Amino acid sequence: MITVVPVELSDAALAAEVVDGLALVEAGLRDAARAQDELLDEVSAYLIDAGGKRFRPTLVLLAAQFGNPRDERIIQAAVAIELTHQATLCHDDVMDEATVRRGTASANSRWDNSVAILTGDFLFARASGILAELGPDAVRLQAETFARLVAGQIAETVGPSPGQDALDHYMGVITEKTASLIATAGRFGAVFSGAPDGVAAKIATACAAIGVAWQLGDDILDIASESEQSGKTPGTDLREGVRTLPVLYALRSAGPQDARLIELLNSGELTDPVLHAEALALLRVHPAMAMATTDLRRWADLARAEILALPDVPARAAFEALCHFVVERTG
């Protein structure tokens, strides 16, 4: 059995095809990251070489299985999706003042904010150039997706508007900022493989729901995990004052017995290791965790319902396995 992170592919032929496709994507990313300017070339290569799960390109390749997966446009689309993702991460690190990305120094900390921002812009430009070769529909969909990414980031930066429910605001942020690009990955794979319109729409809807579920899983792992299972040090969001789903549920459903937890969450002092550890321990046993897990399962079930309506090819089973994995990784 061959594993392509994070999807376990039990069908040997499908696994081999996806592995080969990801190798072509990797080569395409390195080619796209090349620049004439020496510094820009160095930083772009640094970002690509940092790696990652290549989750979005994998979705492009799996979705392409519902049409002609050997269409040469599939690899181009997957490269463009990953370039867009890498560019957003680069900009996110600047806004968050992050010093580490995937265990290595972030571009903004290794060089500076200006270099990181411009490198992100360069990667966006390279993605746009690739999609321009794929036609106006590809450019239009990328533009719509990019607008949603920016809208989600702005909403996260500004916070809820007066009178807006904080939980509704948060779900809107992750739907725009995280799920939109994942949905586009699935749609690209289906469209450029020549899959029927109905199939492409179902895959996009399923991938959007998977994207939301994945983020909710990260929220839960950030609190529940004793290790760096989510890719971050446990309690990072809590320490940085980011109100993720379990925190929002704890604040919404708090009773008299939760006075100490609410005091800590509202204190703005969770950079203190002792107070941070206390808040983390209280959150781990709070009913908010079960409430967040229920939401995670609901989004995974929404994705699964769309997937089960797809043609019965090996890639459908891979998408089903992904829905299962998104839930089980938090167990």
Side-chain angles (χ1 to χ4, degrees), residues 3-4 33 39 69 71 111 145 154 170 175 178 202 230 234 287 322:
T3 300
V4 179
L39 177 59
D71 190 302
W111 287 275
T145 303
I154 286 287
Y170 179 71
T175 298
T178 302
K202 287 187 178 299
S230 65
L322 178 57

Side-chain angles (χ1 to χ4, degrees), residues 170 174 178 210-220 237 244 329:
Y170 179 71
I174 64 175
T178 302
I210 288 170
V212 173
W214 188 272
Q215 181 59 57
L216 299 186
D218 276 355
D219 291 354
I220 293 167
D237 291 329
T244 57
R329 75 190 184 111

Side-chain angles (χ1 to χ4, degrees), residues 153-160 169:
Q153 184 64 66
I154 286 287
E156 182 179 60
T157 301
V158 174
H169 171 265

